[in-house]
């Protein structure tokens, strides 16, 4: 597998492109050139569904469960963590379970030793999971109250594992005591410094963005002045794995007393810091609930986001940040897409395969109801290419992506 370079011939449909400028335009496309015997993985589908210990439809006992959050080991794509949320048709939300697969999703095992439990046996709500890129054995979880958007006493804080399966509490921002028990601000998102596994960032519900160096106190980094009846949910935090000073975050503010429709959702923000959270710049801002971001994933080349409340995945290169749809609409096995609906909290997750910027995972409640994998970011690579031609999600020839 090699990248284009400036010396090789560019051939399209058997014809060598002689014009230097035209040939250069194709060479500068960020494509891959494969050996003649290479067969693209899962070449006939856009997104492949990965099964697991969840059942998105209610069974005869009135139970269902859905994947709300995933995390991929940065060096071994066979290691996948999945947060599964459980629901009862009568009682509603019941609690969470945490699973890990070490074989790419073929089998799953619970990894809950040391996590706080509810009276029904499920884990406290796990709203965030983050793996330390520089030491993947270190994994962080963020918890919340059962109803963090209503009358909340707070969550159980942040938990850490140094072996990927046994968990210990490390407190959380905003320590308070109720009836002798410690509670902390509701955690909505987490991110770990890409070089130092002992630095963790937390996005909260109603309390902004916080940073902690293990062994030290939490430090508040960002918040917005809001009205007395508004809350700000920082539901996405992502650190550039190649630059620990670059942090992406998404947030929206809402009125918890008007959540029966769009009127309760007031504004949303996509922000970025290039100095480890000391200052922030707004990338996009919407004064009404037009756009929301459910997750962001970044690597050395691309940025992937899930937004719009439609559970669509969008892709952009880091150089231009011009997002295009990568959900595979119009092709075989696209991601499930729902009409745009407002929702509280992060309900979808996207992650990048460690061996290729084009291979991505997506999961989520309500929309996806499962874990999905795309071998080429929502597009099909035809067998003719084994190097010849790349097709877009509508199976039409894309002349700007051909060789």
């Amino acid at each position: 597998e090699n990248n284009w370079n400036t010396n090789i011939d560019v051939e399209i449909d058997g014809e060598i492109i002689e014009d230097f400028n035209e040939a250069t335009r194709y060479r500068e496309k960020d494509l891959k050139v494969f050996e003649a015997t290479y067969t693209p993985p899962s070449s006939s589908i856009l997104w492949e569904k990965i099964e697991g210990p969840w059942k998105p439809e209610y069974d005869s006992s009135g139970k269902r469960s859905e994947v709300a959050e995933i995390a991929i080991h940065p060096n071994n794509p066979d290691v996948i963590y999945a947060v599964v949320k459980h629901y009862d048709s009568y009682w509603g939300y019941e609690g969470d379970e945490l699973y890990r697969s070490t074989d790419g999703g073929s089998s799953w095992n619970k990894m809950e030793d040391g996590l706080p439990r509810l009276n029904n046996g499920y884990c406290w709500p796990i709203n965030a999971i983050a793996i330390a890129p520089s030491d993947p054995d270190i994994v962080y979880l963020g918890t919340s109250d059962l109803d963090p958007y209503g009358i909340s006493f707070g969550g159980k804080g942040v938990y850490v594992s140094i072996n990927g399966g046994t968990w210990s509490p490390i407190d959380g921002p905003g320590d308070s005591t109720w009836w002798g028990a410690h509670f902390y601000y509701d955690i909505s998102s987490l991110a770990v410094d890409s070089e130092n596994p002992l630095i963790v960032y937390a996005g909260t519900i109603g309390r902004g963005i916080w940073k902690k160096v293990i062994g030290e106190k939490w430090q508040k980094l960002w918040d917005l002045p809001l009205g007395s009846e508004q809350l700000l949910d920082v539901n996405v935090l992502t650190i550039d794995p190649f630059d620990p000073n670059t942090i992406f975050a998404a947030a929206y503010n809402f009125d918890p007393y008007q959540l029966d429709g769009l009127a309760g959702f007031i504004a949303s923000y996509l922000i970025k810091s290039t100095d480890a959270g000391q200052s922030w710049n707004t990338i996009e801002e919407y004064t009404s609930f037009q756009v929301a971001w459910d997750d962001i994933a970044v690597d050395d080349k691309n940025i992937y986001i899930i937004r719009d409340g439609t559970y669509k995945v969008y892709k952009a290169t880091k150089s231009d940040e011009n997002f295009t749809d990568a959900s595979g609409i119009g092709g075989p096995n696209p991601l499930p897409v729902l009409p745009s609906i407002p929702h509280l909290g992060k309900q979808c997750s996207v992650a990048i395969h460690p061996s290729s910027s084009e291979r991505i995972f997506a999961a989520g409640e309500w929309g996806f109801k499962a874990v999905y994998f795309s071998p080429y970011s929502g597009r099909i690579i035809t067998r003719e290419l084994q190097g010849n031609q790349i097709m877009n999600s509508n199976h039409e020839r894309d002349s700007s992506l051909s060789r």
Side-chain angles (χ1 to χ4, degrees):
E1 179 179 319
N2 301 288
N3 287 325
W4 288 102
N5 60 53
T6 57
N7 298 316
I8 63 174
D9 290 333
V10 176
E11 179 180 332
I12 299 178
D13 292 339
E15 178 183 354
I16 300 293
I17 302 300
E18 302 290 349
D19 182 90
F20 176 81
N21 290 330
E22 184 179 0
T24 299
R25 182 169 65 87
Y26 284 101
R27 291 189 185 104
E28 289 178 347
K29 295 292 183 183
D30 188 20
L31 300 183
K32 301 288 185 181
V33 180
F34 301 94
E35 300 295 335
T37 56
Y38 176 80
T39 301
S42 303
S43 60
S44 63
I45 65 172
L46 300 175
W47 289 88
E48 176 185 356
K49 189 175 182 179
I50 299 175
E51 301 292 348
W54 45 80
K55 43 189 179 182
E57 306 299 335
Y58 284 111
D59 60 17
S60 57
S61 64
K63 305 289 186 180
R64 69 175 179 87
S65 53
E66 297 182 354
V67 184
E69 181 87 5
I70 56 171
I72 310 299
H73 191 290
N75 303 325
N76 182 0
D78 285 337
V79 178
I80 307 172
Y81 291 85
V83 176
V84 178
K85 294 189 175 293
H86 290 266
Y87 297 88
D88 181 270
S89 58
Y90 180 79
W91 296 107
Y93 173 60
E94 294 188 299
D96 290 1
E97 290 180 319
L98 177 67
Y99 288 88
R100 183 177 70 177
S101 173
T102 58
D103 53 15
S106 296
S107 62
W108 298 84
N109 295 295
K110 288 186 181 180
M111 307 298 291
E112 301 174 344
D113 186 21
L115 291 179
R117 299 280 180 176
L118 299 167
N119 291 335
N120 59 13
Y122 289 119
C123 295
W124 271 72
I126 302 169
N127 287 346
I129 180 170
I131 301 174
S134 61
D135 187 348
D137 287 336
I138 298 179
V139 185
Y140 294 88
L141 298 178
T143 66
S144 77
D145 189 272
L146 279 168
D147 184 16
Y149 301 98
I151 301 175
S152 172
F153 291 101
K156 289 295 186 177
V158 177
Y159 281 71
V160 64
S161 172
I162 60 173
N163 60 12
T166 303
W167 304 93
S168 301
I170 59 167
D171 70 40
D175 186 8
S176 60
T177 303
W178 295 87
W179 298 294
H182 286 274
F183 294 89
Y184 305 91
Y185 294 153
D186 295 302
I187 303 296
S188 193
S189 55
L190 287 176
V192 185
D193 187 287
S194 53
E195 295 181 356
N196 187 343
L198 300 182
I199 298 178
V200 61
Y201 296 80
T204 65
I205 301 172
R207 303 292 182 171
I209 298 175
W210 296 72
K211 174 182 178 180
K212 183 180 179 68
V213 179
I214 301 302
E216 300 179 10
K217 293 183 178 180
W218 288 88
Q219 172 193 359
K220 192 171 187 176
L221 298 179
W222 179 84
D223 205 348
L224 284 178
L226 302 174
S228 60
E229 294 184 350
Q230 296 180 26
L231 291 176
L232 182 76
D233 182 7
V234 184
N235 63 320
V236 179
L237 272 180
T238 299
I239 297 177
D240 189 323
F242 294 88
D243 179 6
N245 291 318
T246 299
I247 308 172
F248 294 87
Y252 63 93
N253 63 297
F254 63 96
D255 183 344
Y257 299 101
Q258 297 186 40
L259 289 180
D260 56 345
L262 284 173
F265 296 90
I266 300 162
S268 56
Y269 316 86
L270 180 63
I271 60 176
K272 178 180 179 180
S273 173
T274 56
D275 55 11
Q278 298 306 306
S279 63
W280 298 83
N281 295 314
T282 300
I283 299 175
E284 293 182 334
E285 178 179 351
Y286 295 87
T287 56
S288 62
F289 198 75
Q290 300 164 309
V291 173
W293 297 268
D294 264 344
D295 203 9
I296 304 173
V298 181
D299 69 358
D300 59 328
K301 294 180 180 179
N302 295 325
I303 304 172
Y304 292 92
I305 64 173
I306 299 179
R307 69 179 184 187
D308 290 345
T310 61
Y311 308 98
K312 286 185 178 180
V313 176
Y314 293 84
K315 171 189 172 184
T317 62
K318 289 172 71 174
S319 60
D320 63 18
E321 295 184 359
N322 181 26
F323 288 94
T324 58
D325 194 338
S327 300
I329 305 304
N333 301 94
L335 280 176
V337 177
L338 293 181
S340 181
I341 53 174
H343 58 263
L344 289 169
K346 178 180 177 181
Q347 294 189 351
C348 295
S349 183
V350 62
I352 303 174
H353 193 289
S355 71
S356 172
S357 185
E358 304 299 332
R359 300 180 181 183
I360 51 176
F361 296 84
E365 302 180 78
W366 304 108
F368 300 154
K369 298 185 177 181
V371 177
Y372 287 82
F373 169 70
S374 175
Y376 204 79
S377 58
R379 290 177 291 170
I380 286 179
I381 306 178
T382 64
R383 292 179 183 271
E384 290 92 353
L385 180 56
Q386 292 178 348
N388 262 344
Q389 185 175 334
I390 296 177
M391 306 285 273
N392 65 21
S393 61
N394 293 318
H395 302 273
E396 298 168 349
R397 174 160 178 182
D398 188 343
S399 61
S400 67
L401 296 174
S402 301
R403 167 178 178 265

